[in-house]
Amino acid sequence: MGRGKLRIYLGAAPGVGKTYAMLSEAHRRIERGTDCVVGFVEHHSRPRTEVMLHGLELIERREIGYRGSTFTEMDVDAILSRRPAVALVDELAHTNVPGSRNAKRWQDVEELLQAGIDVVSTVNIQHLESLGDVVETITGVRQRETVPDEVARRADQIELVDMSPQALRRRMAHGNVYKPDKVDAALSNYFRPGNLTALRELALLWVADRVDEYLQEYRGEHNIRSTWQARERIVVGLTGGPEGRTLIRRAARLAEKGAGGEVLAVYIAASDGLTSASPKELAVQRTLVEDLGGTFHHVIGDSIPDALLEFARGCNATQIVLGVSRRRSWQSVFSPGVSATVARESGPDLDVHIVTHDEAAKGRRSLPVARSARLGRSRIIWGWLTGMAGPALLAVLLNLVVPDLGLANDMLLFLTCTVAAALLGGLLPALASAAFGSLLLNYFFTPPLHEFTISDPKNIVAIAIFVGVAVSVASVVDLAARRTHQAARLRAESEILSFLAGSVLRGENSLDALLERLRETFAMQSVALLERTSEVHPWTTAASVGTSPVGRPEDADVDLPMGDNMALALTGRVLPAEDRRVLGAFAAQAAVVLDRQRLVDEAEKSRALAEGNRIRTALLAAVSHDLRTPLAGIKASVTSLRSADVEWSEEDKAELLEGIEDGADRLAALIGNLLDMSRLNTGTVVPLIRETDLDEVVPMALGGVPEDSVDLDIPETLPMIAVDRGLLERAVANIVENAVKYSPDGQPVHVSASALGNRVELRVVDRGPGVPDEAKDRIFEPFQRHGDAPRGAGVGLGLAVARGFTEAIGGTLTTEDTPGGGLTMVITLPMAGSAPPVTADLPTSAVT
């Protein structure tokens, strides 16, 4: 037994008509034959709502005594014993009287849903738990009865019951909501226009957010990756400093102003793996951006501005949010900074927002920047200049300004130049500085002066000690930089490996997302996963991301073999050997994800084979009965006509011939649908897309139904559509024939059309018994006949063929409930010009 479905009518304030809408839905379902009961409805003495209870089955309430009084609550046990298909339960946030089965009514509803009973309920926006503080700020009233947001979000359907503040206040003034003695107080307090407007906005925003969740679930279930609408993508550049929280919140507010805005926070780390960011602060900012609905990315790049712009353009971002630089004003002399560089090089396709914050121009307070053994070219040049020009300049100054400073002090000053060269340029500039400095000390400051000889043995020892100390200090500084570099690399690698392990545990199976993460991590131009069936076969691309991926491992800048017949190929730059370990982890994960995807595909194929077996079984059943029935009628009529023992009148002969003709028509229609279904299953339906008018196609499709059974309304002013006329005619014919079959006598099927955007909608409306929500998708499956359709009325292929033909010509076929009862079939077709015409390649035998 499956879980029941929950439908909620959500209102912005009391009196908007939630209960009335719920009761109206109950009457509609009862008219369709659904078993529906009233579990608990509070009409608050409102006449129009009370009238709606007439004709509905009411479950007797349970009486509970509390503090000397008797109260009534919903009887959950009685509803479970009655086991209706649908139960109406008003006021979802209601708190039950102590002594009840559950403390809250939503817990009662949860029991009904677990028992497989569908529930229709109501709730106001002010009763949602997360909005309690906001509602109290607006209205000054604290709601004591609340329902967790998760309960409402789990609802299968949420319908907003909306009403303007002015209309609600008029309804109250007329006495339709509260008794006359309470109207004035309510209008002047809770129901003020400003309060109602704010509550209405809260309800609209909450429902819009839920609609977006429904859309994302649908796109995920149908594996839709393309963008359906233009949306703002805002990239936030983080440095790991405390100002990142301000930038994230600012970007979130910008995203809220556009439909479907998305926030992507990115931290750019230097390619050497070293960082001045606080890991704790980055973790806090990651949590913040994820709480606000955004995503966090960690990217490695040599140049932070270039990496940030490359990331923004790679994800089709429209805006970049950066903070004002934390550097001191004098530091701008040496470099304009990341913000200024990004703003200058962003171009016309990216808007850059520079946001002020409390840390601006205060200098960096985070971890000190570690010195790397893998230094940039400018650092190395400065190291050599300091190591070689520094001692020479120092020798000139000491000779001209303070010639008698003493050999010991002179050595300390030269040692300072050596240490500075080590800090800037690493070991080699420091060693060169020590050697050059010892020569200058010998020539200018050790007697005899201006000669490369030393007269005093003590000075020889002093210069030797200077050289030894200089070399030792340079080695220690360089070793510390190397160890810091290694530690930083290990930390970065551990973060990446942790991500890969987490993706395995979460069961993520998006190969493109994994390869994109690999490309971002190593700042590559493209990544391709290549494979081949054997060593003699060519390479094929299993998946790729980025621009211009290669087709062979030998054409890549970096290739990593994964066995004999699979390889990972990267272009953009050559990676150092130490990156191979992390690259190997990505490669192993990519192989696992590829195998998982193929297993999923194999499972889908197995399901398709099982479906084919089911269809063959149903086809045999159809042939054994539905096809033999008209054959039996034809055989009986022909035998009767050929009988020499009976003299048939002209009327009898005409009736028998009519029976033969009807049986032949039914047989032709059944065989035609079987052949069409076979074409759809084998993929041999080739549409010939041409521009045509809808009013030329639909009348041709109505030839198989009585003239007075269809009411046709196709405006001649409709734009032309791009379809295959033959396939569309067959689809419309099947739909109309199905609608006529289920429509009551004297109720014609209404066929109308209208234009909507770049599409044209054709609606086929009947007044029959309708179809429940849970069966609306099932009626389009092959060999399915809904309800009490008589045997011999068809094999259940008409709607399946109609949907297949509609989708083959680029349209859609969906169902809706007809207001007042019945079913509406909606065919949506592309206008001419919205898609290029398609010319099918027909076999020669098909061309006449």
Side-chain angles (χ1 to χ4, degrees):
M1 177 177 59
R3 176 183 171 88
K5 295 183 178 180
L6 175 61
R7 179 170 183 169
I8 293 178
Y9 286 92
L10 177 69
V16 295
K18 304 179 302 300
T19 305
Y20 189 94
M22 178 180 68
L23 295 174
S24 300
E25 174 64 17
H27 283 285
R28 285 192 293 270
R29 295 196 182 198
I30 289 176
E31 291 175 359
R32 296 196 299 264
T34 304
D35 184 14
C36 184
V37 301
V38 176
F40 188 99
V41 168
E42 187 62 62
H43 55 73
H44 297 288
S45 300
R46 297 168 186 169
R48 296 186 179 181
T49 305
E50 190 174 0
V51 169
M52 293 296 294
L53 288 171
H54 296 169
L56 300 178
E57 179 183 352
L58 276 66
I59 300 296
E60 196 71 19
R61 300 184 184 182
R62 179 186 177 190
E63 294 185 355
I64 301 175
Y66 180 66
R67 293 185 177 180
S69 301
T70 301
F71 300 87
T72 60
E73 294 288 359
M74 181 174 67
D75 194 338
V76 179
D77 291 328
I79 299 176
L80 293 175
S81 300
R82 170 66 173 73
R83 296 197 64 80
V86 180
L88 308 184
V89 181
D90 206 3
E91 299 179 352
L92 186 64
H94 172 74
T95 301
N96 294 329
V97 174
S100 301
R101 184 187 185 95
N102 295 299
K104 303 288 290 186
R105 184 163 293 164
W106 64 263
Q107 295 171 329
D108 296 337
V109 169
E110 186 66 22
E111 283 197 38
L112 300 180
L113 295 174
Q114 291 292 344
I117 300 174
D118 294 349
V119 176
V120 182
S121 187
T122 65
V123 71
N124 285 328
I125 191 68
Q126 67 265 28
H127 292 298
L128 295 179
E129 182 68 46
S130 65
L131 300 177
D133 295 337
V134 179
V135 173
E136 184 179 6
T137 302
I138 295 171
T139 64
V141 178
R142 182 67 181 184
Q143 299 295 330
R144 297 181 179 179
E145 295 185 334
T146 59
V147 60
D149 289 52
E150 184 60 24
V151 174
R153 288 183 179 275
R154 286 202 306 265
D156 299 278
Q157 296 181 54
I158 297 177
E159 182 170 339
L160 178 65
V161 183
D162 192 22
M163 178 176 288
S164 67
Q166 295 77 10
L168 179 56
R169 285 170 60 85
R170 284 196 303 269
R171 174 181 287 185
M172 293 191 63
H174 294 158
N176 295 331
V177 179
Y178 292 147
K179 294 181 179 180
D181 57 339
K182 296 182 179 180
V183 171
D184 291 338
L187 290 176
S188 59
N189 290 285
Y190 191 92
F191 290 83
R192 288 177 293 181
N195 291 356
L196 296 178
T197 301
L199 293 174
R200 188 187 189 197
E201 183 178 12
L202 280 178
L204 291 171
L205 291 174
W206 195 90
V207 172
D209 180 66
R210 185 63 182 128
V211 170
D212 186 65
E213 292 178 13
Y214 280 135
L215 178 60
Q216 294 303 325
E217 291 174 4
Y218 177 85
R219 287 164 58 86
E221 292 172 357
H222 293 76
N223 198 26
I224 298 173
R225 300 180 181 177
S226 60
T227 302
W228 279 6
Q229 62 177 1
R231 59 187 304 177
E232 289 289 333
R233 285 188 174 87
I234 303 173
V235 171
V236 185
L238 302 179
T239 64
E243 76 280 1
R245 306 181 196 182
T246 302
L247 303 182
I248 292 172
R249 294 189 181 98
R250 177 61 176 164
R253 291 196 296 272
L254 289 173
E256 290 175 356
K257 296 179 180 180
E262 183 180 2
V263 176
L264 300 91
V266 57
Y267 172 71
I268 309 292
S271 59
D272 55 15
L274 301 178
T275 177
S276 61
S278 167
K280 182 178 179 181
E281 182 62 28
L282 280 178
V284 171
Q285 293 174 14
R286 176 194 289 268
T287 302
L288 175 60
V289 72
E290 290 175 351
D291 289 343
L292 293 174
T295 56
F296 184 92
H297 302 266
H298 187 283
V299 177
I300 297 176
D302 293 325
S303 171
I304 292 179
D306 293 342
L308 182 60
L309 289 171
E310 182 180 355
F311 176 84
R313 293 191 176 102
C315 65
N316 293 325
T318 57
Q319 302 180 53
I320 298 178
V321 175
L322 298 173
V324 174
S325 178
R326 287 185 290 156
R327 303 187 310 161
R328 305 287 185 182
S329 300
W330 58 268
Q331 292 178 297
S332 300
V333 177
F334 301 95
S335 174
V338 174
S339 301
T341 304
V342 171
R344 184 181 65 247
E345 299 180 0
S346 61
D349 56 338
L350 279 172
D351 296 333
V352 180
H353 301 266
I354 308 297
V355 180
T356 59
H357 50 83
D358 296 335
E359 302 297 322
K362 291 184 178 180
R364 294 186 178 273
R365 299 181 183 177
S366 53
L367 300 179
V369 178
R371 305 303 182 187
S372 170
R374 197 192 301 175
L375 302 173
R377 179 179 299 179
S378 60
R379 289 272 306 273
I380 294 176
I381 293 175
W382 277 104
W384 281 102
L385 287 176
T386 303
M388 303 305 292
L393 182 61
L394 183 60
V396 174
L397 292 176
L398 290 177
N399 275 287
L400 297 178
V401 181
V402 282
D404 300 322
L405 192 60
L407 182 60
N409 293 326
D410 294 338
M411 287 184 176
L412 290 176
L413 292 175
F414 277 90
L415 182 62
T416 302
C417 292
T418 301
V419 172
L423 292 173
L424 289 174
L427 182 61
L428 291 179
L431 294 178
S433 178
F436 185 52
S438 65
L439 293 177
L440 293 178
L441 284 171
N442 182 11
Y443 188 82
F444 288 104
F445 305 103
T446 304
L449 301 179
H450 307 297
E451 294 182 11
F452 289 105
T453 57
I454 302 175
S455 59
D456 190 352
K458 295 180 180 180
N459 292 336
I460 298 176
V461 175
I463 292 180
I465 292 174
F466 165 78
V467 174
V469 170
V471 172
S472 300
V473 170
S475 301
V476 169
V477 170
D478 183 74
L479 181 62
R482 291 179 182 274
R483 293 290 182 265
T484 305
H485 164 69
Q486 293 173 359
R489 284 196 57 82
L490 291 175
R491 182 174 65 247
E493 289 179 7
S494 65
E495 290 178 359
I496 295 172
L497 295 176
S498 175
F499 161 78
L500 292 176
S503 65
V504 173
L505 295 176
R506 291 189 296 268
E508 296 177 357
N509 58 356
S510 175
L511 185 57
D512 290 342
L514 180 66
L515 296 182
E516 181 63 25
R517 179 61 185 264
L518 171 59
R519 190 187 69 83
E520 290 180 358
T521 300
F522 294 102
M524 304 299 288
Q525 181 180 355
S526 68
V527 178
L529 182 61
L530 308 176
E531 62 177 351
R532 58 185 179 182
T533 55
S534 65
E535 295 182 356
V536 298
H537 288 84
W539 290 95
T540 59
T541 302
S544 63
V545 296
T547 58
S548 303
V550 297
R552 300 185 305 169
E554 50 267 33
D555 297 334
D557 296 324
V558 179
D559 68 284
L560 183 67
M562 301 159 56
D564 296 333
N565 300 319
M566 187 175 290
L568 201 63
L570 298 85
T571 61
R573 63 190 179 94
V574 179
L575 294 179
E578 56 264 34
D579 287 335
R580 290 277 177 167
R581 178 170 51 187
V582 177
L583 190 60
F586 271 106
Q589 177 65 5
V592 170
V593 171
L594 181 60
D595 290 340
R596 185 183 300 149
Q597 286 185 352
R598 287 177 174 171
L599 288 175
V600 171
D601 294 339
E602 290 295 331
E604 290 293 337
K605 292 179 181 178
S606 299
R607 281 193 289 270
L609 291 175
E611 179 67 15
N613 290 332
R614 187 187 70 82
I615 291 177
R616 281 191 291 272
T617 302
L619 177 60
L620 291 175
V623 170
S624 65
H625 186 280
D626 294 296
L627 294 181
R628 292 171 64 182
T629 299
L631 282 175
I634 294 173
K635 176 67 174 177
S637 298
V638 172
T639 302
S640 299
L641 288 173
R642 296 187 62 184
S643 176
D645 300 335
V646 181
E647 185 69 26
W648 301 103
S649 65
E650 293 300 325
E651 294 181 356
D652 292 336
K653 291 181 180 180
E655 185 176 352
L656 290 173
L657 290 173
E658 184 179 357
I660 294 174
E661 185 177 8
D662 289 343
D665 290 341
R666 286 173 55 193
L667 196 60
L670 293 175
I671 294 175
N673 280 335
L674 288 172
L675 294 176
D676 290 339
M677 199 65 221
S678 175
R679 293 170 60 200
L680 289 171
N681 286 334
T682 57
T684 57
V685 176
V686 182
L688 298 174
I689 305 299
R690 295 289 186 271
E691 295 184 2
T692 186
D693 288 319
L694 191 61
D695 58 354
E696 296 179 359
V697 179
V698 176
M700 300 295 295
L702 305 181
V705 297
E707 294 183 0
D708 57 349
S709 62
V710 177
D711 180 13
L712 190 60
D713 181 16
I714 308 293
E716 296 182 356
T717 57
L718 283 177
M720 299 185 72
I721 55 176
V723 296
D724 183 307
R725 293 190 55 170
L727 296 182
L728 178 59
E729 182 180 332
R730 291 294 302 276
V732 174
N734 284 354
I735 294 171
V736 173
E737 289 174 5
N738 184 78
V740 171
K741 182 192 306 180
Y742 286 97
S743 292
D745 295 338
Q747 292 284 343
V749 173
H750 183 68
V751 180
S752 63
S754 61
L756 182 64
N758 61 346
R759 315 284 283 182
V760 172
E761 282 190 355
L762 179 67
R763 309 177 74 88
V764 180
V765 183
D766 67 63
R767 296 291 180 178
V771 177
D773 292 341
E774 60 271 13
K776 286 180 179 176
D777 287 333
R778 194 165 61 249
I779 62 176
F780 292 105
E781 296 178 4
F783 304 103
Q784 295 291 327
R785 292 183 296 185
H786 177 65
D788 55 352
R791 298 291 294 179
V795 295
L797 286 176
L799 294 183
V801 171
R803 171 170 276 188
F805 281 175
T806 303
E807 292 177 350
I809 61 178
T812 60
L813 175 58
T814 57
T815 61
E816 296 178 0
D817 290 331
T818 302
L823 187 67
T824 299
M825 293 282 185
V826 182
I827 303 178
T828 305
L829 302 168
M831 287 185 186
S834 59
V838 178
T839 302
D841 295 330
L842 295 179
T844 306
S845 59
V847 180
T848 59

